[in-house]
Amino acid sequence: QSVLTQPPSASGTPGQRVTISCSGSSSNIGSNTVNWYQQLPGTAPKLLIYSNNQRPSGVPDRFSGSKSGTSASLAISGLQSEDEADYYCAAWDDSLNGRNYVFGTGTKVTVL
Amino acid sequence: EVQLVQSGAEVKKPGESLKISCKGSGYSFTSYWIGWVRQMPGKGLEWMGIIYPGDSDTRYSPSFQGQVTISADKSISTAYLQWSSLKASDTAMYYCARRIGGAPSLAWFDPWGQGTLVTVSS
């Protein structure tokens, strides 16, 4: 079961700004960096943001990430139709069970 | 180009065994951890475990410990995920991905394989 909580859905019209939240705890987001993955329909996940706010080469600058305390967020500014996808936050979690990688519950972004 | 290419879709019966593969290319396969992720139909991503092909050091998520076996053959740059006795609840898409980025707690996964769909049905 996911230990990072995201809203199930978000939507916006083309050009709008959409923000997705990701809530965790001191054992994951509070002490480790956050990564974001984009999963377009019918495809494998793709790295979108790493180390809280870094974009890999090729990711448009309309995608941005931030982290504060035990929460993180992904912002999509200038929403485009091709941004319609599922988005997952993720972080390493250090607990009594050792170090495990945990994903958020996922957010489906719809472009209206 | 760094690539992970997974084996094709599988249809199996409950109780059967299965081994799926993930072949890396375009980088030093023995120098990066490879992780496995499950995605059940219509559901989110679940981390299963990770292996370091250089010495086969393997870690499992508590949710998958004892349910699957992760292995690697560095001579052919391939990681594996296997089941000894499949259940209908193992029906899912399985992805492999390379772990990169500094310290373990700061790392991320990139790239990802294209996925292997496993269907278990009587």
Side-chain angles (χ1 to χ4, degrees), chain A residues 38-41 81-87 107-111:
Chain A
Q38 178 193 56
Q39 187 174 32
L40 295 168
S81 58
E82 58 260 38
D83 299 333
E84 193 159 281
D86 293 323
Y87 293 84
T107 299
K108 183 176 184 60
V109 169
T110 301
V111 182

Side-chain angles (χ1 to χ4, degrees), chain A:
Chain A
Q1 63 279 19
S2 302
V3 298
L4 305 182
T5 303
Q6 300 177 233
S9 63
S11 63
T13 57
Q16 276 191 327
R17 176 183 172 91
V18 168
T19 301
I20 300 169
S21 61
C22 174
S23 178
S25 68
S26 58
S27 64
N28 41 67
I29 294 178
S31 50
N32 298 312
T33 55
V34 177
N35 310 307
W36 290 88
Y37 300 90
Q38 178 193 56
Q39 187 174 32
L40 295 168
T43 69
K46 174 192 131 180
L47 179 68
L48 192 67
I49 297 286
Y50 66 94
S51 296
N52 301 329
N53 55 19
Q54 301 299 302
R55 281 187 311 276
S57 173
V59 172
D61 61 5
R62 64 177 184 276
F63 293 96
S64 62
S66 64
K67 179 186 122 171
S68 178
T70 59
S71 294
S73 62
L74 173 72
I76 311 173
S77 57
L79 191 66
Q80 298 186 9
S81 58
E82 58 260 38
D83 299 333
E84 193 159 281
D86 293 323
Y87 293 84
Y88 295 91
C89 59
W92 291 94
D93 183 273
D94 297 303
S95 69
L96 293 176
N97 286 326
R99 176 174 294 129
N100 297 285
Y101 200 61
V102 291
F103 290 98
T105 48
T107 299
K108 183 176 184 60
V109 169
T110 301
V111 182
L112 302 170

Side-chain angles (χ1 to χ4, degrees), chain B residues 48 60 62-69 82-85 87 90:
Chain B
M48 302 177 72
Y60 293 93
S63 299
F64 293 92
Q65 178 82 47
Q67 308 305 307
V68 297
T69 301
Q82 70 180 89
W83 296 259
S84 58
S85 180
K87 302 183 284 286
D90 292 318

